Structures are given as structure tokens and as C-alpha cells.
Amino acid sequence: MPQSTLSRALVRLEEDLGVELFARHGRTVSLTPAGRTFYASVDRALDEIGRAAEAVRADADPATGKVAFGFLHTMGAETVPGLLHAFRADHPGIRFSLVQNYGEAMLEGLRGGELDLCLTSPVPSAPDLVARRLDEQKLRLVVPADHRLASRRRVRLAEASDETFVTLEPGYGLRRITDDLCAEAGFAPRIAFEGEEAETLRGLVAAGLGVALLPPPPFPRPGVVELTVTAPRAAREIGVAWLAGRPDTPPVAAFKKFLLSKRGRLLPG
């Protein structure tokens, strides 16, 4: 940078701050007390910028970068660990930041830049998102072991119209699916308890506090019976979503390609 250009830049900086940063002695320049204070802060800021740049480059590294991945609580015990194990067989150095949440919260995480990808249900339809259906998961009517329907293997959902239900809170995808299926069966469910996690709901069912529509558990739960629902068709779609127009880093692109290759084979069994 030419000396004249540098001198003009220093003068503009002092004018912007309204403080003299430099003491000029002929052709020499030294820092004023204000200049030393400003320099120390700027030096720390530049170090922080340098560390941030290194972190960003590290997260985008094709071999050792990071993927911020969100998924439903019901997929945390078995599905997601299996996916990560399979993916890291070919990409052992890629790191993951994992977030378990309900569907709407994860979509906001995509929009806010907190997540790169998420597995959610129902599969979202929004102009600012891209979503692809990956698989389908059947839902069961879960009843206490001593329930009047517990000896059955199959049931029509309308047969539970007089039952008390335990469900997830409003805003959860499974709650919306439950409400829609009950409406299709001709009734509005009477809700006794609302929770945030499917296995907690199974515990409430086991305690005799209601029935629930839930996906299969990772492990059999004592005290409940899981019935196949023959009508209406009780299932939820599972899909992967990401923010439209956001460029992928190499690790995100690799994991996205891997997830899309699992269409129809995402869920165990």
C-alpha cells in the first residue's frame, strides 16, 4: 500500500472515531494512549476473526468437517445411531452436531442456520425448504395390558373413540397425525395427558392413564399391548429436509447423498 494511501486511511479512521490515535513527529508516527487502547482491542478482535476463519474452514473440510443434524426423538434410540455408523464406515473423520427435537422446531433450526439437515415427520411442504420422502413408519394403537382390547391383534381406530388418549403436545408432527387419523375415523380424541416424548407416553399407557397412537418402540415395553390399526391406514412419512438455496459444504453434501440413498430402507425392519 502506498504511503499516501495509508496516511489517508489513518486520518479517516481518526475522523470516524473522533479521537487522535497517532502522535505525528515529522516523518515518524507513534501511538497515543487512545491508540494503544484501540490497538489492543483490535489485535484481540483480529485474533478472534482468525480463529473463526479456521473453525469455518475446519467444518467444511471434506474429510473431517461437521454436519449439524436434527432428528425426531423417536428416531434417536435405533435409527439415527445405525445411520451414523453406516455413514462413518466410508467417512470416519466427519463430525456431527446432533439435535433431537420436534418437527417445527427443527424446521426453524434449518431456517436459522443452526441445522444443515433434519429427519422429520410429516414431510414438510414450504417454499423455503427442500424435502424428500425417505420412508414410512406404521403407527400402533398402544393400550394397557389389562385393557378390553388387549387380547386383540388388530383394531379399527373407531373402536377407541370412547377412550381417553395420551398424546404429544400441539406442534409435534405425531400429534397432528393423531388428530387427523381420529378425525378420519369419525371422532375427536379426548386428551387426558400431553407430553414431549413417545416413551413417556408409553409409560402413561402402562399406568392405565389412556391409550396412544405411537410408532414401534426400540425395545418391547412391559405393561402395554401394541395393536395394528386396520382402518384408517395409520402411518407417518419420514423425510429429510434442508433450506432451499443454501450451498452445502462437502461433508453436508456427502451425508445428504447418503440419506437419499436410503429411500425405502431408512427404518429398521
Side-chain angles (χ1 to χ4, degrees), residues 47-239:
D47 284 345
E48 190 63 30
I49 291 171
R51 285 191 290 271
E54 285 301 318
V56 169
R57 283 193 286 267
D59 286 349
D61 185 275
T64 61
K66 185 174 75 173
V67 179
F69 181 46
F71 52 93
L72 301 168
H73 289 92
T74 51
M75 308 191 77
E78 189 173 1
T79 300
V80 169
L83 286 172
L84 298 183
H85 177 77
F87 176 73
R88 294 195 73 192
D90 293 325
H91 303 84
I94 288 182
R95 298 167 289 123
F96 283 83
S97 172
L98 302 177
V99 175
Q100 290 179 273
N101 216 323
Y102 65 98
E104 288 300 321
M106 287 193 295
L107 301 186
E108 289 308 307
L110 293 176
R111 295 181 173 108
E114 300 159 10
L115 293 176
D116 297 309
L117 302 164
C118 71
L119 288 180
T120 188
S121 178
V123 180
S125 176
D128 60 335
L129 300 174
V130 180
R132 298 287 184 268
R133 181 186 183 278
L134 295 180
D135 213 336
E136 181 180 271
Q137 189 174 47
K138 291 183 178 179
L139 303 178
R140 311 297 189 197
L141 181 68
V142 184
V143 302
D146 59 355
H147 191 271
R148 62 182 177 84
L149 296 173
S151 61
R152 304 266 297 275
R153 296 182 62 185
R154 295 176 175 81
V155 65
R156 291 178 292 107
L157 188 56
E159 295 179 72
S161 60
D162 293 332
E163 299 290 337
T164 297
F165 277 72
V166 296
T167 73
L168 296 179
E169 295 177 349
Y172 284 71
L174 188 56
R175 169 60 180 273
R176 177 153 41 112
I177 293 169
T178 296
D179 290 344
D180 290 346
L181 287 172
C182 289
E184 190 175 347
F187 69 97
R190 291 186 294 113
I191 309 298
F193 295 92
E194 295 175 335
E196 297 181 344
E197 203 272 326
E199 289 312 298
T200 299
L201 299 185
R202 270 193 176 82
L204 295 174
V205 173
L209 298 175
V211 303
L213 274 172
L214 296 172
F219 308 102
R221 175 71 183 250
V224 301
V225 175
E226 315 248 343
L227 306 176
T228 298
V229 178
T230 58
R233 188 172 182 275
R236 66 172 181 172
E237 290 186 334
I238 305 293

